[in-house]
Amino acid sequence: MSFLFPLYLLAAAAVAAPIWFHLRSRRPRREQAFPSLMFLQPQKEPLQRRRRPQDWLLLLVRCLALVLLALLFARPWLQGVDSLAGDAGEGRRVAVLLDASASMQRDDLWPRAVVKARQALDRADGNGGNQVWFGLYGRGPGVEWLHQPAAPDLAGDRAGGSTAAPPADWAALLHQLQPGWGGAGLVAALRQTVETLEAGRGIGVTDQSAAGPAVDPGPAAEVVLVSDLQEGEDWELLGQWSWPVEVALSVVAVAPGEGDARRVSLHGVPELMEDELGDPDRETAAPMVRLTASPTADGDEPPMVARLYWHGEEPHAVVHTLAAGASRVLYAPPRAGGATGPAELWIDDGRSGIEASDRPGFDQRLFVADRAPRTLQVLWWSDAAGVDDGEGAIDSGFFLRQALLDSARISWLLGRWPADGPVPAGTDAVVVVGSLSLEAGRWLADYVEAGGTVIGVPGAGEAAGWAVVLAAEAGELIQAEAMARGRLWVDQAWQHPVLRPFAVAGANDFSKIRFWQHRTLPLPEGAQVLASFDSGQPALAEVGAGDGRWFLLGSGWIPDDSQLGVASKFLPLLHGMLLSGNREDADPMLLAGQPAPWPGLWRTPDGALVELADDPDRRMELVLAVPGHYGWRAPGSSGETVVAVNVAPRESELRALSRGELQDLGLPVASDRAAAAAPDAGGGGAAEVALPGEVIEQRQQLWRWLLMAVLGLLLLELWLASRPRTDSGAGAMA
């Protein structure tokens, strides 16, 4: 027998307490007074040298209850091999999942992963009764199934492979595969794989928000994951579901060679963050980039040297020095001769030149597209009077004026909307703070339906105007709550374009921004919550309507409401919402492996033309598979916009998670021995897999029996302690 929390066994020492009390206690005796004894001199009762418990059965019950209670908290489980196999004739269901994300492009990682995937497939296919799935993730959204057994069509799977019998030679299939350029999709791929194994066999994903798990387990099922387990994966999604105990997980880790330990990565800084990180008075339109040196185990490693230059302009390289694990944001060097147009930034370690035929590492090349200066018109309206600090009124418009400063790329025209008529044509966005009349709400609704963007902070009080967007009847109150300690933002949707610029290390910490007041927003059906308060109420939500959208905030940015207006994150957050409604004004720096975000005519880096309809269900027809320069032409437009597609910055977070860290995240990772032997070949039955103790204990649930035993002993102890006792000494005296 083993225990998940063996330290709780120390609590069994509490049995000393009832033993001590039983030795010290004396049974009360009834005394009968006799008048003739009043003339005798009282004497002390002689001491007893040896004390014995007077109720052995009660003492035994109490001690046993304490011991079982300690065992209960220690969570015991029986050691041994816990077979996952169902009936011997049904075989096993094995899904081999191979990591093909951008991080697998480095060094000789992919050939090593292919070898390990082949070994796993050969073992899985060694048992003729097994059903084998094989898929890749990281080359696009979801899992790309290359092989699966004959089965009905699975909704939601990107099954592009054959469903016939297993290939005779897995090596031939693996030889033609290459890694992709996407990333941050491991947890989503695992969930999709479990759902695929569930089809027809009753193994379900348990959502933590659901009432309970689903169905009876079917035959044995196992997922074999071949991956580098990089830290930059979407591990935060593990908090949204729990791994079903009926499915085993074997992890085959792939480690890079020694030559890839020291490296400097190059990534672009989203335009929404440039005003925060850069110089707002800088007149050049040169892009900002982020250099990051990989951390090393030895803190005494010398600094890393990196040369940054435009492709083809190596003589003009700028040399930078970074300590191991350090990151630096800087402007790209000027191009030779003032050249313009799409270009590539390269970086190398400075030890030797890069020949024209060579290519830098997967995250050491950045595609850059020119962004022409533009002018945006923003209107705002508020029903609240400003607070006069002696230098002017401080209201929501005050912070807007401070945030919407002209730069080399954007000129802002900020004006006030009097809310006495429709929104003027040509307005790019409207900011509304406070209560709205019903007529003003309808004008804004018409503006959004036509493709406009509204950023709203509903006021506490009458919701007549907000009823056109919120799930509230006219006249219903929007409740406000004030907190002395303030609320925090949690559960941010980092994949949303507005919050994506913050989804990098050092920029995703909102814990320093306190919200003193917030409103309870009754959101309509279909609204997407982008961030929540730590109380569970929506903090930032997006509501689509027609061709436009509403962004609703549960708290404002003035000092009476929150610290948002004075936080450095306010500017990129505000810019992200203002620019998200206009496709031409959106940041033309997209991520590889994602679907094309806009309808229209697309030109891929190899020159192919793809017409993408304005239909969300058909958006998967074009995946931005490789980094490079893409051309995009909006429907009805004659001009083409060049957009840059690059590797996601999180793909450069290359530290591999250990098996212990994976178990802490809630994954039932098998031991190293089980990972090397599963699924086992040979024989006709299912292989046996030694699971981690957490999974076995969750299956056996011995604590339930211990809990029932403790409750039974407590009832017995209550009866024994309350039963009437006879005093033989008193009876004899009587």
Side-chain angles (χ1 to χ4, degrees), residues 93 131 133 151-152 154 195-203 216 218-219:
R93 289 173 296 137
Q131 295 177 314
W133 285 260
L154 302 176
E195 291 173 346
T196 301
L197 293 178
E198 177 219 4
R201 286 301 183 182
I203 294 179
D216 296 332

Side-chain angles (χ1 to χ4, degrees), residues 440-466:
R442 290 172 178 170
W443 287 327
L444 289 176
D446 294 339
Y447 167 73
V448 172
E449 289 284 343
T453 299
V454 173
I455 301 175
V457 183
E462 187 175 355
W466 291 109

Side-chain angles (χ1 to χ4, degrees), residues 278-304:
D279 182 4
D281 298 328
R282 186 182 176 95
E283 296 182 357
T284 179
M288 294 189 70
V289 297
R290 183 187 297 270
L291 307 182
T292 304
S294 60
T296 57
D298 188 356
D300 296 332
E301 291 284 346
M304 301 183 190

Side-chain angles (χ1 to χ4, degrees), residues 136-207:
L136 307 178
Y137 75 92
R139 301 205 302 190
V143 178
E144 181 182 356
W145 294 114
L146 300 178
H147 173 79
Q148 53 185 342
D153 185 44
L154 302 176
D157 293 342
R158 300 177 63 246
S162 170
T163 60
D169 187 5
W170 290 108
L173 175 62
L174 291 168
H175 179 71
Q176 59 186 356
L177 298 180
Q178 293 296 328
W181 296 92
L186 172 56
V187 176
L190 286 175
R191 181 166 188 172
Q192 181 181 345
T193 302
V194 172
E195 291 173 346
T196 301
L197 293 178
E198 177 219 4
R201 286 301 183 182
I203 294 179
V205 176
T206 302
D207 196 320

Side-chain angles (χ1 to χ4, degrees), residues 272-649:
L272 304 178
M273 300 291 292
E274 290 187 6
D275 291 333
E276 175 189 357
L277 301 175
D279 182 4
D281 298 328
R282 186 182 176 95
E283 296 182 357
T284 179
M288 294 189 70
V289 297
R290 183 187 297 270
L291 307 182
T292 304
S294 60
T296 57
D298 188 356
D300 296 332
E301 291 284 346
M304 301 183 190
V305 177
R307 300 189 311 158
L308 179 65
Y309 55 91
W310 294 98
H311 179 42
E313 302 178 7
E314 186 175 355
H316 302 280
V318 179
V319 179
H320 299 277
T321 303
L322 291 89
S327 180
R328 180 181 301 172
V329 176
L330 45 87
Y331 284 98
R335 299 181 61 178
T340 60
E344 299 178 35
L345 267 174
W346 284 24
I347 193 172
D348 62 39
D349 57 10
R351 291 179 295 183
S352 60
I354 296 181
E355 300 296 335
S357 59
D358 294 337
R359 288 292 181 267
F362 79 97
D363 57 353
Q364 295 179 323
R365 177 174 57 171
L366 181 69
F367 292 91
V368 179
D370 279 345
R371 288 165 283 189
R374 63 264 197 199
T375 300
L376 300 179
Q377 181 176 0
V378 178
L379 299 180
W380 73 279
W381 180 83
S382 174
D383 65 344
V387 178
D388 194 347
D389 65 345
E391 299 180 358
I394 298 180
D395 55 10
S396 355
F398 171 83
F399 291 95
L400 291 177
R401 288 188 292 271
Q402 301 302 314
L404 303 182
L405 298 178
D406 294 344
S407 64
R409 297 194 182 117
I410 302 179
S411 296
W412 300 95
L413 297 178
L414 180 62
R416 183 145 190 163
W417 179 51
D420 57 359
V423 178
T427 302
D428 294 285
V430 179
V431 180
V432 180
V433 180
S435 300
L436 273 179
S437 66
L438 182 58
E439 191 173 26
R442 290 172 178 170
W443 287 327
L444 289 176
D446 294 339
Y447 167 73
V448 172
E449 289 284 343
T453 299
V454 173
I455 301 175
V457 183
E462 187 175 355
W466 291 109
V468 298
V469 58
L470 297 175
E473 299 294 337
E476 181 179 346
L477 294 181
I478 300 175
Q479 299 178 356
E481 179 183 357
M483 293 294 297
R485 298 181 57 185
R487 294 290 187 189
L488 300 176
W489 275 18
V490 297
D491 299 333
Q492 291 89 340
W494 301 118
Q495 298 303 319
H496 192 276
V498 171
L499 296 178
R500 188 183 299 160
F502 302 100
V504 294
N508 56 5
D509 184 10
F510 281 75
S511 61
K512 297 180 180 179
I513 304 176
R514 299 282 176 170
F515 296 85
W516 315 118
Q517 296 189 36
H518 72 85
R519 289 86 174 167
T520 302
L521 303 179
L523 296 177
E525 183 179 358
Q528 181 182 3
V529 178
L530 307 184
S532 302
F533 292 112
D534 51 8
S535 62
Q537 297 291 336
L540 174 61
E542 179 186 16
V543 181
D547 294 332
R549 68 197 70 190
W550 302 74
F551 287 103
L552 303 176
L553 289 93
S555 179
W557 47 79
I558 62 174
D560 288 344
D561 281 359
S562 71
Q563 297 174 332
L564 182 60
V566 296
S568 60
K569 292 180 172 56
F570 176 62
L571 189 149
L573 180 66
L574 178 65
H575 284 198
M577 292 186 288
L578 293 175
L579 296 177
S580 63
N582 194 325
R583 297 184 180 116
E584 289 80 357
D585 292 327
D587 192 348
M589 187 176 291
L590 306 177
L591 301 181
Q594 299 297 320
W598 315 306
L601 182 64
W602 286 82
R603 177 179 50 81
T604 62
D606 58 4
L609 297 177
V610 179
E611 183 75 29
L612 192 61
D614 191 4
D615 184 358
D617 296 334
R618 300 181 58 185
R619 197 60 52 84
M620 291 296 299
E621 293 180 0
L622 176 61
V623 175
L624 308 177
V626 299
H629 291 112
Y630 289 72
W632 170 69
R633 183 181 301 171
S637 174
S638 59
E640 182 181 83
T641 301
V642 178
V643 294
V645 176
N646 290 285
V647 175

